[in-house]
Amino acid sequence: MKTMGFVFLLLAFFAVGVVQGQLRVGFYSNACPDAESIVSSVVRNAAQSISNIPPVLLRLHFHDCFVEGCDGSILIENGPKAERHAFGHQGVGGFEVIEQAKAQLEAKCPGVVSCADIVALAARDAIALANGPSYEVPTGRRDGRVSDVSLAANMPDVSDSIRQLKAKFLQKGLSEKDLVLLSAAHTIGTTACFFMTKRLYKFSPAGGSDPAINPDFLPQLQSICPQNGDVNVRLPMDRGSERTFDKQILDNIRNGFAVLESDARLYDDETTRMVVDSYFGILTPIFGPSFETDFVDSIVKMGQIGVKTGSKGEIRRVCTAFN
């Protein structure tokens, strides 16, 4: 009986180990040992010619994971009903960088590295290029076989209330702390005046601007995005630190200098406000928490949303099309 019990526990241990180990750091170490260095090289070369590649690739990872999980579904281009054409994905880019990496990987290790993993790895490399934290990416994702524009209808939106934002993140298994930290990814990159019109001129039924905007900051925003002006003009999402991955955006949120409405809403809620403030305590530099460490925890957690592993999904030959 003792032997049978031991065998049962051993089998249970391995069963759990298989489930937890389907994504793991170094998944390609044997089948394609140069996989991560190839992705890093492609991202680095792209950034040399296109300066905004880091925030573009980081945003691509987020948008991929929030629809059907982190499975490369946003990369598919099979007509107007493809997911990438959803309203909530407006402005998402970086597709050509992922394709370049995929082409090199297929030449080196055909049929091994998934497009979903390339997206996650590229986001990691992008953060490092913006002087953000370096971290290990668990890999082993497989590519999804579904891409439908209707599935992206519930993406987080810049005009969402804090209640809506918290609910959308909770649906993905992400906490209020994750919401704050992943929103802080807006520390790099720009947004378009198209996403600022409501906040600057039509915030309430009577019109006017969001009262959460610092009075000294409002004229600056309105000069960049004048009413009835060019909605395609772009402005940094992180005032004063748009090219460096740091916690400056959280300090901006605390002081009314948030650019995006959804970022400003993080200070409306007691729970998310406490998370924001926790990175600016007098003793924070000594005792923590560490913004960089916590951000890594959140983005690695996000990167495991709804992943396909094992026999699920496929390894695409090209990232824009199903096999």
Side-chain angles (χ1 to χ4, degrees):
M1 288 296 291
K2 288 183 178 179
T3 302
M4 289 179 65
F6 175 77
V7 171
F8 175 81
L9 288 172
L10 195 62
L11 289 172
F13 172 82
F14 280 113
V16 171
V18 169
V19 171
Q20 293 179 340
Q22 287 176 333
L23 285 191
R24 66 178 187 273
V25 172
F27 183 87
Y28 298 109
S29 58
N30 292 323
C32 191
D34 295 331
E36 295 196 22
S37 61
I38 288 172
V39 175
S40 295
S41 176
V42 170
V43 171
R44 189 166 53 251
N45 290 338
Q48 289 176 353
S49 57
I50 309 172
S51 62
N52 72 330
I53 277 297
V56 167
L57 291 174
L58 180 51
R59 188 179 182 210
L60 178 63
H61 183 34
F62 177 88
H63 280 252
D64 181 39
C65 289
F66 260 70
V67 182
E68 289 292 289
C70 310
D71 69 348
S73 58
I74 195 171
L75 305 173
I76 293 295
E77 177 55 288
N78 59 355
K81 294 190 180 298
E83 179 199 319
R84 72 159 68 183
H85 298 299
F87 180 83
H89 290 331
Q90 287 184 97
V92 174
F95 302 108
E96 69 288 347
V97 178
I98 305 303
E99 279 297 335
Q100 288 170 17
K102 179 62 171 174
Q104 291 190 25
L105 287 164
E106 284 298 300
K108 184 84 172 182
C109 317
V112 174
V113 183
S114 70
C115 300
D117 274 342
I118 296 172
V119 171
L121 291 167
R124 184 269 307 274
D125 297 332
I127 291 167
L129 286 174
N131 296 315
S134 299
Y135 60 96
E136 300 277 18
V137 175
T139 45
R141 299 167 188 79
R142 289 171 66 85
D143 299 319
R145 295 191 176 104
V146 175
S147 178
D148 187 331
V149 68
S150 67
L151 296 174
N154 200 36
M155 283 292 299
D157 188 81
V158 292
S159 61
D160 282 344
S161 67
I162 187 62
R163 175 181 288 186
Q164 290 172 311
L165 290 168
K166 288 168 67 174
K168 288 179 179 181
F169 273 66
L170 183 61
Q171 287 172 355
K172 303 298 179 183
L174 300 172
S175 67
E176 289 98 335
K177 184 176 182 179
D178 296 321
L179 167 59
V180 171
L181 289 158
L182 294 171
S183 296
H186 295 150
T187 180
I188 53 175
T190 61
T191 188
C193 288
F194 173 83
F195 297 106
M196 299 296 298
T197 301
K198 173 180 175 288
R199 188 172 192 224
L200 294 179
Y201 304 106
K202 302 175 182 178
F203 188 71
S204 68
S209 59
D210 181 354
I213 302 174
N214 188 299
D216 294 332
F217 191 37
L218 180 60
Q220 297 176 40
L221 293 175
Q222 290 178 326
S223 68
I224 298 170
C225 301
Q227 194 164 19
N228 301 318
D230 183 357
V231 297
N232 295 310
V233 170
R234 302 194 70 82
L235 68 161
M237 292 183 287
D238 187 7
R239 174 180 178 268
S241 183
E242 69 271 17
R243 293 190 181 276
T244 302
F245 193 99
D246 57 22
K247 65 180 181 180
Q248 176 63 42
I249 191 165
L250 297 181
D251 201 29
N252 285 341
I253 289 169
R254 298 170 79 219
N255 294 293
F257 294 109
V259 173
L260 293 178
E261 182 180 340
S262 57
D263 289 346
R265 299 289 74 83
L266 297 176
Y267 222 59
D268 291 350
D269 175 82
E270 182 179 0
T271 303
T272 51
R273 183 168 60 249
M274 287 176 62
V275 176
V276 172
D277 287 341
S278 71
Y279 298 106
F280 300 95
I282 295 174
L283 298 178
T284 296
I286 303 172
F287 298 108
S290 162
F291 166 71
E292 289 79 9
T293 299
D294 287 353
F295 175 82
V296 167
D297 288 344
S298 289
I299 196 167
V300 169
K301 182 178 177 182
M302 184 195 77
Q304 300 185 49
I305 295 173
V307 295
K308 281 78 174 172
T309 58
S311 61
K312 296 179 180 178
E314 63 185 15
I315 304 298
R316 292 184 207 141
R317 289 185 289 273
V318 295
C319 292
T320 54
F322 301 122
N323 290 343

